[in-house]
């Protein structure tokens, strides 16, 4: 649709008519003081050059030129269809453990036993899809922590990089403190939004240059909320040469440290023993950190005023040419 930035300028349209009505016209030749004996001959010449049709065309062209000039002054513009803008709700980073212990197969998806990383990817997929309006990022850590995806509204890219993550890609050990420290560093570039870190691990801190609790203190100072998720079943049946026995595959999980990290930063610690608990945890995080529902739109604007301005100048040039042609004819 067409919109006018300053529509009130259309009030200038009757200005020429108002000037003609108020301003006195120039004195006609009848009041001239010069008298010549051959006045009749001059009247004949004047009547022969007088062209009322041409004058009417001049007036019409001048009126159209003035209309176009005023229209250009009102700044017409074309408004396109509304386009939804991405709205920033939160900056949410996922830190996923890729250490060697994540290959433990103690989760079941659709009747099939899978490793912990596969279960993490399976449940996180729906969580990422639901976080519309949030900026998401991905940190992968083992012996070292890596920023796999910086904060972005492109949830599909985050999902793709998470699916491509492989166990052992960052080393066999676990650097929880370094992962938190990297998240704090990345969040410093986005200080305005609510900042949340989801830390998923199945072990204890066994590598890195920063301890988890020191990193948690730093996160607290910068306003970063950390939700920690301990991954792994409490027991599983192991078959060997002597028969079957129950073992605890999560014996290395440092739940106390994970709970302390969450408590220091105003978050919570969750325990994911199976995929159902995983799904419940993500639903709880959705409730604790609700998704922003506000929608914002903008309409692209294309300025149109150069067109009436150009046509007005063209008509003004036509008037000048008509005047010059009459002058020399």
């Amino acid at each position: 649709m067409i919109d006018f930035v300053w529509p009130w300028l259309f009030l200038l349209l009757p200005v020429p008519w108002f000037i003609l009505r108020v301003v006195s016209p120039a004195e006609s030749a009848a009041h001239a003081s010069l008298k010549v004996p051959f006045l009749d001959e001059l009247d004949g010449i004047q009547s022969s050059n007088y062209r009322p049709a041409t004058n009417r065309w001049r007036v019409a062209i001048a009126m159209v030129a003035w209309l176009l000039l005023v229209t250009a002054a009102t700044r017409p513009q074309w408004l396109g269809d509304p386009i939804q803008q991405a709205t920033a709700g939160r900056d949410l980073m996922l830190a996923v453990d890729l250490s060697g212990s994540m290959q433990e197969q103690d989760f079941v998806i659709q009747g099939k036993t899978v490793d912990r990383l596969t279960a993490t990817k399976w449940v996180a997929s729906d969580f990422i899809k639901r976080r519309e309006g949030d900026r998401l990022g991905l940190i992968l850590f083992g012996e070292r922590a890596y920023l796999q995806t910086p904060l972005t509204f492109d949830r599909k890219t985050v999902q793709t990089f998470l699916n491509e993550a492989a166990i052992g890609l960052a080393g066999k050990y676990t650097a929880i403190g370094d992962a938190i420290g990297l998240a704090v560093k990345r969040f410093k570039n986005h200080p305005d939004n609510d900042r949340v870190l989801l830390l998923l691990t199945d072990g204890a801190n066994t590598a890195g240059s920063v301890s988890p609790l020191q990193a948690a203190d730093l996160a607290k100072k910068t306003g970063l909320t950390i939700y920690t998720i301990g991954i792994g079943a409490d027991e599983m049946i192991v078959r060997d040469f002597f028969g079957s026995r129950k073992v605890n595959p999560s014996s290395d999980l440092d739940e106390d440290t994970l709970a302390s990290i969450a408590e220091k930063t105003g978050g919570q610690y969750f325990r994911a023993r199976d995929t159902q608990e995983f799904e419940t945890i993500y639903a709880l995080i959705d409730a604790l950190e609700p998704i922003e529902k506000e929608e914002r739109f903008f309409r692209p604007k294309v300025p149109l005023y150069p067109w009436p301005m150009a046509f007005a100048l063209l008509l003004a040039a036509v008037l000048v040419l008509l005047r010059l042609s009459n002058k020399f004819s």
Side-chain angles (χ1 to χ4, degrees):
M1 61 176 290
I2 295 179
D3 179 59
F4 298 93
V5 178
W6 301 313
W8 52 269
L9 287 178
F10 278 119
L11 296 175
L12 296 177
L13 284 176
V15 167
W17 176 85
F18 180 77
I19 292 176
L20 289 175
R21 298 287 295 181
V22 173
V23 178
S24 301
E27 293 184 354
S28 63
H31 296 86
S33 59
L34 181 61
K35 303 295 183 180
V36 294
F38 46 88
L39 183 59
D40 295 337
E41 289 80 356
L42 288 179
D43 287 340
I45 296 173
Q46 180 182 4
S47 59
S48 63
N49 292 333
Y50 182 66
R51 300 169 183 172
T54 303
N55 287 340
R56 285 197 295 270
W57 273 108
R58 288 179 181 177
V59 172
I61 293 174
M63 291 175 60
V64 174
W66 175 250
L67 174 62
L68 291 173
L69 189 64
V70 173
T71 301
T74 61
R75 294 292 300 273
Q77 58 187 4
W78 177 263
L79 297 181
D81 294 331
I83 299 175
Q84 185 175 358
Q85 287 181 303
T87 56
R90 285 172 177 76
D91 289 337
L92 196 153
M93 190 81 74
L94 279 78
V96 180
D97 188 352
L98 297 183
S99 61
S101 57
M102 288 291 285
Q103 65 187 349
E104 188 72 59
Q105 296 189 349
D106 54 356
F107 280 80
V108 178
I109 296 177
Q110 296 178 343
K112 182 181 179 181
T113 302
V114 298
D115 59 65
R116 294 169 176 175
L117 180 58
T118 300
T120 300
K121 295 176 181 179
W122 173 269
V123 182
S125 177
D126 288 336
F127 176 76
I128 292 173
K129 291 178 181 178
R130 292 196 301 267
R131 301 306 302 188
E132 184 176 358
D134 288 345
R135 260 193 303 233
L136 300 182
L138 177 63
I139 291 175
L140 303 177
F141 67 96
E143 294 179 28
R144 297 167 296 277
Y146 299 95
L147 179 67
Q148 191 71 0
T149 309
L151 290 167
T152 176
F153 289 111
D154 188 354
R155 291 168 290 142
K156 186 176 180 180
T157 297
V158 177
Q159 180 65 63
T160 299
F161 278 107
L162 177 59
N163 290 337
E164 293 176 352
I167 297 172
L169 186 65
K172 295 182 179 180
Y173 300 103
T174 310
I176 297 175
D178 285 3
I180 298 174
L182 179 58
V184 171
K185 180 180 179 180
R186 301 308 302 182
F187 278 125
K188 283 184 178 180
N189 298 327
H190 304 273
D192 297 331
N193 293 342
D194 294 335
R195 293 167 286 179
V196 178
L197 172 65
L198 250 61
L199 179 71
L200 301 97
T201 183
D202 68 341
N205 189 76
T206 56
S209 57
V210 181
S211 72
L213 295 182
Q214 287 177 334
D217 289 333
L218 182 60
K220 180 181 178 180
K221 292 178 182 179
T222 58
L224 173 60
T225 302
I226 303 177
Y227 294 93
T228 54
I229 301 177
I231 305 170
D234 283 338
E235 63 178 36
M236 63 182 299
I237 304 298
V238 177
R239 301 183 186 279
D240 54 22
F241 180 76
F242 300 100
S244 60
R245 56 192 176 89
K246 290 182 178 181
V247 298
N248 180 10
S250 301
S251 57
D252 294 334
L253 181 62
D254 189 355
E255 294 193 77
D256 291 337
T257 298
L258 294 177
S260 297
I261 292 171
E263 183 180 357
K264 280 177 176 288
T265 60
Q268 291 188 30
Y269 168 65
F270 301 97
R271 185 77 165 85
R273 300 173 181 83
D274 52 42
T275 53
Q276 184 176 357
E277 285 190 339
F278 240 142
E279 292 173 352
T280 303
I281 289 168
Y282 280 121
L284 288 172
I285 293 174
D286 278 338
L288 293 170
E289 302 291 338
I291 303 168
E292 299 290 339
K293 293 297 185 180
E294 180 183 0
E295 294 184 347
R296 296 181 181 179
F297 297 88
F298 80 97
R299 302 186 71 169
K301 299 177 181 179
V302 179
L304 300 177
Y305 70 89
W307 293 99
M309 177 69 74
F311 282 116
L313 293 176
L314 180 61
L315 293 178
V318 170
L319 287 175
V320 172
L321 291 175
L322 287 176
R323 184 177 182 87
L324 291 176
S325 63
N326 289 338
K327 181 177 179 180
F328 294 105
S329 62

